[in-house]
Amino acid sequence: MSAPRAARMRCLSRTALLGLFTAALGGCTTQEPPANPHPDAASKDRIAYLEVAAGPKAWSVVPLPEGRFALTSHAASVLEVWTLGPGRVPRRLMQDPGVGFHPDAVRTVDWDRDGRLDLLVAGEGAGTVQWWEPTGEEGQYRLAAKVIAPFPPRDVAVADFDQDGHDDLVVGPYSGSKVAVFFGKGDFRFEHQLLEAAPTPSHPVVVDWDHDGDADIVWPDWDKGSVRLARNQGSRAFHIEFLAPPTYGISPRQLSVADLDGDGWEDLVVALETGKAARILYNDHGKGVRESEDIPAPVWGYSWTAVSGTGPDALLALSEEGRIILARRQGGGWTLRQVPAGSLPLDLSFADLDQDGALDLLFANSAGRTIGIVFGPLWEQAREVE
């Protein structure tokens, strides 16, 4: 990585399956889950933080219904499903090595439209994109089909780009200078097309940028400091253009889509890993970018972003080493608070995992061996940034 990533010493037994932390960021105390697992919302220095052992390099995690989540361990080469029980106690439901060597992203989709969420896995080491379907047993999935990718896949997202009624895939590479679009033909069969990018197109995302009814694709070019839009022209044609030009000295790693100014058009929040900021690119009614705005990073730079809500109610989560910064617009600027995390937290998402009505924050501590969960209410419990 370009930015220094000094791993923090943490009070966590790596042999234990879980640890519950109610701690300030500057230190930690391990304890048994309290009888009342919901800390005082008014307290800024006691935060309910759970780490679940997931094997080395837990690179991806995705929430599932009913307090469950699925994860891939890149180094252990497994797909796992976990659930949170009473008292926020985690229990592993499934561990399957069928993903092959070095799996990366795991995502949810109802691929066969049977009303149940399936899993898509980018099998980097296996060179495949995989469809896993639920078996009907609690938390169990089986490998239903797979397709060979033109490069080791790192990311996968779903849309019907050609509007033929079959779901298509956009697949990002582990390295290289191409993004692949897989046009579905049914039964997990595809024809693929390669889109030109720059080294390295990172974590492509689907968005209808110009509101023409056709799904477009956006991604950051990590090595070039740019952000690109693949504008869907119909008939399986895309026009590649810059939303942010190449910029020396920044490495945009990932982006999220959300309407942050409340004008009805989706904007982008870009994690600048070596730019010491998250950069917001405001949509100019589909024509391009109207203006940009930076949310500063306290120390290094941000590696991942997630957004809950829209307009003035939006809550942003931005990951740094050892912590996650929460950002909320207040007055004319952004107010920052922090919650704890492990080493290099990635794949952030908001979900109510303990089903208490408050959003939690789920992420993979990718330079360690755990999945992290910070329980809500998030903003009320977060501390001022140190």
Side-chain angles (χ1 to χ4, degrees):
M1 306 299 299
S2 299
R5 295 294 177 189
R8 296 170 62 89
M9 294 298 292
R10 305 188 57 79
C11 305
L12 172 68
S13 169
R14 297 300 185 184
T15 60
L17 281 180
L18 63 95
L20 181 63
F21 292 80
T22 50
L25 184 63
C28 56
T29 56
T30 307
Q31 62 181 43
E32 294 299 318
N36 177 8
H38 305 283
D40 180 5
S43 173
K44 297 296 188 294
D45 59 0
R46 294 184 65 80
I47 299 170
Y49 174 38
L50 179 72
E51 286 194 345
V52 180
K57 295 186 178 179
W59 278 12
S60 187
V61 61
V62 65
L64 295 169
E66 300 177 343
R68 298 173 186 170
F69 55 92
L71 64 93
T72 58
S73 174
H74 183 79
S77 298
V78 293
L79 171 67
E80 296 185 355
V81 177
W82 288 73
T83 187
L84 282 183
R88 297 172 174 167
V89 176
R91 177 169 59 94
R92 187 169 60 200
L93 301 175
M94 186 191 94
Q95 183 183 75
D96 197 317
V99 287
F101 183 63
H102 279 189
D104 287 352
V106 56
R107 298 291 178 255
T108 56
V109 63
D110 183 3
W111 185 262
D112 51 7
R113 295 177 171 84
D114 65 352
R116 303 181 301 172
L117 280 182
D118 307 302
L119 300 177
L120 292 179
V121 175
E124 179 227 313
T128 60
V129 178
Q130 304 165 11
W131 166 28
W132 289 72
E133 65 177 4
T135 66
E137 299 181 42
E138 183 187 11
Q140 301 299 305
Y141 290 77
R142 72 173 187 90
L143 180 60
K146 58 186 176 181
V147 60
I148 297 175
F151 45 64
R154 171 64 181 90
D155 305 281
V156 58
V158 180
D160 185 359
F161 292 108
D162 54 3
Q163 298 198 28
D164 65 351
H166 295 301
D167 281 333
D168 310 315
L169 307 175
V170 55
V171 180
Y174 182 77
S175 63
S177 58
K178 307 284 186 183
V179 171
V181 179
F182 287 65
F183 293 103
K185 301 190 294 183
D187 299 327
F188 216 71
R189 295 177 299 114
F190 304 90
E191 298 173 352
H192 78 260
Q193 170 185 338
L194 295 177
L195 306 180
E196 293 293 334
T200 299
S202 183
H203 308 293
V205 174
V206 174
V207 59
D208 185 2
W209 182 257
D210 49 15
H211 287 194
D212 65 353
D214 291 324
D216 308 308
I217 309 167
V218 290
W219 68 81
D221 294 317
W222 193 87
D223 289 279
K224 292 294 185 181
S226 51
V227 177
R228 297 194 194 215
L229 165 69
R231 195 185 293 269
N232 193 340
Q233 305 290 291
S235 302
R236 297 188 175 183
F238 293 86
H239 179 263
I240 312 297
E241 58 195 77
F242 286 115
L243 293 178
T247 304
Y248 177 78
I250 68 170
S251 298
R253 180 177 182 126
Q254 177 267 350
L255 56 82
S256 294
V257 175
D259 176 12
L260 293 180
D261 53 7
D263 66 352
W265 294 79
E266 294 82 0
D267 310 306
L268 305 179
V269 185
V270 185
L272 303 183
E273 195 162 43
T274 60
K276 290 200 69 173
R279 181 158 296 165
I280 303 174
L281 305 179
Y282 289 103
N283 192 333
D284 187 14
H285 293 187
K287 295 188 290 291
V289 173
R290 183 182 75 246
E291 61 179 326
S292 65
E293 179 184 18
D294 283 1
I295 301 175
V299 181
W300 303 116
Y302 297 121
S303 296
W304 206 274
T305 69
V307 183
S308 172
T310 60
D313 297 324
L315 177 64
L316 279 59
L318 313 166
S319 72
E320 266 207 326
E321 170 62 32
R323 63 179 169 183
I324 292 171
I325 302 299
L326 301 180
R328 172 159 278 168
R329 188 176 290 284
Q330 294 184 335
W334 293 89
T335 299
L336 306 185
R337 297 180 181 179
Q338 66 184 28
V339 294
S343 187
L344 194 56
L346 300 179
D347 223 10
L348 278 61
S349 58
F350 290 96
D352 185 6
L353 291 169
D354 57 357
Q355 303 176 75
D356 67 348
L359 283 181
D360 311 313
L361 193 57
L362 176 69
F363 48 90
N365 292 316
S366 65
R369 307 172 64 90
T370 63
I371 297 301
I373 305 171
V374 179
F375 293 101
L378 296 166
W379 185 255
E380 291 79 2
Q381 295 184 101
R383 298 178 58 206
E384 294 184 2
V385 174
E386 297 175 348

